[in-house]
Amino acid sequence: MVKKIKTPYYLIDEKKLLKNLKKIEYVRNFSGAKSVLALKCFSTWSVFDLMNKYMDGTTSSSLYEAKLGYEQFGKETHVFSVAYSAEDIQTLKKISDKVIFNSVLQLKMFYKEVKHISVGLRINPGISYSHFDLADPARKYSRLGVTSIKDVMSVLDKVNGVMFHYNCENDDFETFSAMLSKITLKYEKILRKVKWVSLGGGLYFTKDGYPLDKFCEKLKSFSEQYGVQVYLEPGEASITKSCELVTTVLDIVKNTKDIAIVDSSIEAHMLDLLIYGTSAKVNSDIGKYRYIIAGRSCLAGDVFGEYKLKDRLKVGSRIRFADAAGYTMVKKNWFNGIEMPSIVVKRLNGKMEIVKQFLYNDFVSDLS
Ligand SMILES: *Cc1c(COP(=O)(O)O)cnc(C)c1O
């Protein structure tokens, strides 16, 4: 019998990952749009050797992410930062293929340093698709991207490409398409002058049922109309549905409802559930046994969700939370000193590999 891996652990399944990667490859083949992985969503480099066969490189939000992309993923290294420091630029100018600026001031400040590589500017088109104000790039007073066309025009001779990141969890092709048409109209003059356009991330085009062919057609006609190379920056879409957080029930308590407590915590291991007030997905959420499943931190609201399970839970039962790849491992932390989930990869050949285990010493060395 195979020994059970000790919980908690994140389990990345390469076969499931491959499903997304094949769709990304399909989009490149049929639209010409290249895809670079947004590392801020997913930086678990143990599976980069698989991902870099289907994607064109990485995009980053910082110097460290860019270094990771350059060293572990290879191919094209793009970087965007809300604000670079002068030191960041010294390294980035050596390892990046494209440096994208968030403001005209920063572009002017660092242009001399980076003009030998491809220079980009982020534009805030003033429209967006997002379910959450917190994550809405065009929210009121947003600092993300240049809002004035005049300002963009003033540096256009220095710019090779522009980035519009205006979606968040958008699985609706029609709204994406309609907004792209609006952007096309508004920025026509600019689009005619640049070599590449990044349409950012936040598009769930790898989801089952997404009209991939229509998506490809739209991207292709946009690209042909302006003679630009289109880039997509999928984060969540690259890794969606490829990972579980596997936990064990440690206790069951009752306060009006039955509450199962697992050896994990949303604040420490799936932080976005707390930030956005959403529930974790549990695969067998269809039976008659009702439970609240909660974390073991001392935060009162450390709750994964409420579920109707097929089987009655007991101490020792395993609970697997689905869709645990994006914005989880990159955000995990040592709150409450709770044991950090290991990272396990199920390789394409079915072999389970524990790629990372965290020990007490990791907790100690995180601070001093
Ligand atoms: C967050 C972000 C992405 C990735 O977003 P997903 O929703 O994970 O696809 C891509 N580009 C930029 C500029 C971002 O800020």
Side-chain angles (χ1 to χ4, degrees), residues 38 40-41 122 163 165 201-202 233-236 327:
K40 80 157 194 270
C41 170
R122 178 167 180 173
M163 189 243 278
H165 171 70
E233 303 179 351
E236 187 63 44
Y327 303 97

Side-chain angles (χ1 to χ4, degrees), residues 55-330:
M55 301 183 74
D56 296 281
T58 54
T59 188
S60 297
S61 334
S62 65
L63 171 63
Y64 286 0
E65 279 189 0
K67 277 180 83 162
L68 183 82
Y70 177 74
E71 288 171 7
Q72 302 288 344
F73 200 103
K75 300 178 115 172
E76 288 189 45
T77 303
H78 296 195
V79 62
F80 161 80
S81 171
V82 172
Y84 297 101
S85 72
E87 296 83 58
D88 292 345
I89 293 290
Q90 289 315 307
T91 307
L92 290 172
K93 71 180 187 187
K94 292 182 207 141
I95 64 171
S96 314
D97 298 284
K98 290 183 176 59
V99 177
I100 303 169
F101 291 96
N102 187 53
S103 78
V104 167
L105 177 61
Q106 282 241 319
L107 186 146
K108 283 183 176 164
M109 260 193 321
F110 298 122
Y111 178 68
K112 266 207 198 112
E113 304 277 355
V114 297
K115 66 175 191 224
H116 62 288
I117 47 184
S118 200
V119 173
L121 185 64
R122 178 167 180 173
I123 297 176
N124 175 347
I127 50 172
S128 58
Y129 179 102
S130 175
H131 302 285
F132 300 96
D133 180 62
L134 184 65
D136 181 352
R139 77 205 286 250
K140 203 172 179 192
Y141 310 125
S142 172
R143 71 200 187 298
L144 303 172
V146 181
T147 50
S148 146
I149 295 187
K150 219 174 110 218
D151 289 353
V152 179
M153 294 306 285
S154 74
V155 287
L156 202 56
D157 57 323
K158 297 181 170 61
V159 166
N160 306 101
V162 289
M163 189 243 278
F164 300 96
H165 171 70
Y166 61 103
N167 290 281
C168 179
E169 300 195 350
N170 188 354
D171 58 4
D172 177 30
F173 168 75
E174 298 303 333
T175 61
F176 160 74
S177 174
M179 281 188 195
L180 183 57
S181 300
K182 273 193 186 164
I183 288 174
T184 303
L185 273 180
K186 185 168 173 189
Y187 296 97
E188 207 155 27
K189 261 203 211 145
I190 291 163
L191 295 172
R192 286 194 198 291
K193 292 260 164 60
V194 294
K195 291 199 177 69
W196 55 266
V197 175
S198 171
L199 297 175
L203 299 167
Y204 273 2
F205 65 91
T206 54
K207 207 171 172 174
D208 286 339
Y210 194 89
L212 267 192
D213 289 321
K214 276 185 172 175
F215 185 57
C216 289
E217 259 167 53
K218 181 81 187 180
L219 296 174
K220 190 162 188 245
S221 76
F222 174 76
S223 155
E224 283 172 355
Q225 192 176 354
Y226 297 103
V228 291
Q229 171 65 53
V230 171
Y231 285 93
L232 302 169
E233 303 179 351
E236 187 63 44
S238 319
I239 45 74
T240 191
K241 295 201 162 82
S242 69
C243 180
E244 292 175 324
L245 174 62
V246 185
T247 64
T248 301
V249 174
L250 298 178
D251 195 7
I252 296 170
V253 297
K254 190 155 186 150
N255 180 356
T256 315
K257 296 183 176 185
D258 289 315
I259 306 159
I261 299 170
V262 295
D263 55 356
S264 179
S265 153
I266 63 166
E267 183 156 27
H269 308 151
M270 285 188 109
L271 186 58
D272 268 13
L273 299 180
L274 190 61
I275 294 178
Y276 294 103
T278 48
S279 289
K281 293 172 203 142
V282 170
N283 281 337
S284 60
D285 186 18
I286 39 157
K288 61 174 181 177
Y289 298 102
R290 249 198 140 93
Y291 290 94
I292 290 174
I293 300 176
R296 73 195 293 203
S297 83
C298 58
L299 178 77
D302 189 354
V303 174
F304 285 87
E306 187 169 349
Y307 307 94
K308 289 181 226 144
L309 304 181
K310 260 200 317 238
D311 301 308
R312 198 187 289 279
L313 291 177
K314 53 185 195 306
V315 169
S317 298
R318 291 214 161 182
I319 295 177
R320 311 168 82 93
F321 299 103
D323 235 346
Y327 303 97
T328 54
M329 285 170 260
V330 291

